[in-house]
Amino acid sequence: MTDNTPVLEIEDLSVVYASRDGFVKAVEDVNLVVHKHEIVGLIGESGSGKSTMAYAVMRLLKGDAIVTKGSIRILGQDVYTLSRRELRKFRWTQMAMVFQSAMSALNPVLSVENQIVDTLLAHKPGMSKRAALERSEELMDLVRIDRKYLKSYPHELSGGMRQRVVIAIAIALNPALVIMDEPTTALDVVVQRTILDEIQRIQDQAGFAILFVSHDFSLVAELADRVAIMYAGRLVEVAPSRLLNLGDVHHPYTEGLLRAIPELTGDHVTIQGIKGHPPDLVNLPSGCAFHPRCPSAVDVCRVARPVATHVGDKLIECHLFRREEAVEHGSGSAG
Ligand code: SF4
């Protein structure tokens, strides 16, 4: 169950990439809070900026990326004021990341046991080898892999087991925040389902916050407490998952995503996608970046960028929802 303690606080974050064609505006004016015990799903098409945002939180952006403004705090600590040495300690103990490809996240020439033990000893200098071995056994129990596989090498495990090992390493030091970047994309649907159940169960026990990055809307809506929807580098809607229903009020982009989810039962219906393509992030459309694809666009959409507006428990960035309670541009907190 969510408690109100903020673990991750992203405020007015903007990130650009320097390219030959100009600055790619990957993340713009993003505000988001993730609380203890909470799972927030970050959804977007590929190139929407969701992975850039996740990497920015971990301070793992590549050299051509520039954080132009904003702040990222984890349990009140500004991640960007940490020295390199402090950051090394902060990663894994306070924030950890589960990457998409377990095979490339694991060292192929080290046994599972050695990889877990090495992580523990590197970040907890006072820990004894014996305590690290005991903790690695505990972690295998937690991710439900038989302890005998501690002696195995990554290539000897199935894809699902490898991903569980990566999760075990990520949570080894009880971080406050775990970022999961498409952790189940490479797995078949049955294994994917099992891993998601495991993530929920482990999180229930350990209480860390999760930022779960995915392009799979239906999967995230089922897993997460809240969903943050990203389009062209901006959070266009943040909503509790229970309120993600067609027929309810939503950002037009969210509606398009909801309409694109196939029904497994009922009459055969043709899926309606979202027309057009994601915009060029170097030359974003004027006003609302979604306007060339939006079926509800009106004149103002082409000239003015909408501000984030509270609509019940949702925060929506769209002119259709401009109300008195509108939050001033850039100061909306999606918490
Ligand atoms: Fe559509 Fe206008 Fe809303 Fe953008 S601001 S989503 S163009 S209605």
Side-chain angles (χ1 to χ4, degrees), residues 113 117 120 127-141 147 150:
E113 182 176 87
V117 168
L120 289 164
M127 192 176 213
S128 67
K129 178 95 186 271
R130 187 194 169 93
L133 286 168
E134 280 170 13
R135 176 66 177 150
S136 50
E137 287 176 352
E138 257 174 52
L139 287 162
M140 292 296 267
D141 295 347
R147 292 178 179 191
L150 276 168

Side-chain angles (χ1 to χ4, degrees), residues 251-252 288 290-291 294 296-298 301 306 318-320:
H251 188 282
C288 170
F290 188 56
H291 86 249
C294 180
S296 310
V298 289
C301 304
C318 170
H319 288 300
L320 300 180

Side-chain angles (χ1 to χ4, degrees), residues 44-158:
E45 291 166 283
S46 101
S48 60
K50 57 191 190 308
S51 289
T52 297
M53 188 172 135
Y55 278 69
V57 172
M58 291 296 294
R59 249 179 88 176
L60 283 174
L61 289 169
K62 299 219 173 88
D64 52 354
I66 307 160
V67 176
T68 53
K69 84 183 165 74
S71 65
I72 297 169
R73 291 188 300 279
I74 292 176
L75 294 178
Q77 170 65 57
D78 188 328
V79 174
Y80 281 78
T81 61
L82 294 168
S83 67
R84 285 196 174 278
R85 194 151 162 260
E86 290 167 333
L87 180 64
R88 247 180 70 79
K89 190 159 176 233
F90 201 74
R91 283 201 198 117
W92 301 104
T93 55
Q94 298 298 345
M95 59 180 183
M97 190 155 182
V98 175
F99 296 91
Q100 191 176 124
S101 165
M103 203 56 194
S104 48
L106 294 169
N107 187 333
V109 297
L110 287 182
S111 69
V112 170
E113 182 176 87
N114 281 343
Q115 303 201 41
I116 301 178
V117 168
D118 284 0
T119 306
L120 289 164
L121 297 182
H123 293 88
K124 269 197 163 180
M127 192 176 213
S128 67
K129 178 95 186 271
R130 187 194 169 93
L133 286 168
E134 280 170 13
R135 176 66 177 150
S136 50
E137 287 176 352
E138 257 174 52
L139 287 162
M140 292 296 267
D141 295 347
L142 200 59
V143 296
R144 293 191 175 160
I145 303 181
D146 194 304
R147 292 178 179 191
K148 71 180 182 197
Y149 290 104
L150 276 168
K151 301 292 179 202
S152 301
Y153 289 82
H155 72 272
E156 295 172 315
L157 307 177
S158 68

Side-chain angles (χ1 to χ4, degrees), residues 8-10 30-34 40 53 211 226 228 235 238 334:
L8 169 65
E9 296 171 276
I10 302 177
V30 161
N31 290 280
L32 184 69
V33 178
V34 184
V40 172
M53 188 172 135
L211 182 66
R226 284 186 303 138
L235 289 187
V238 180

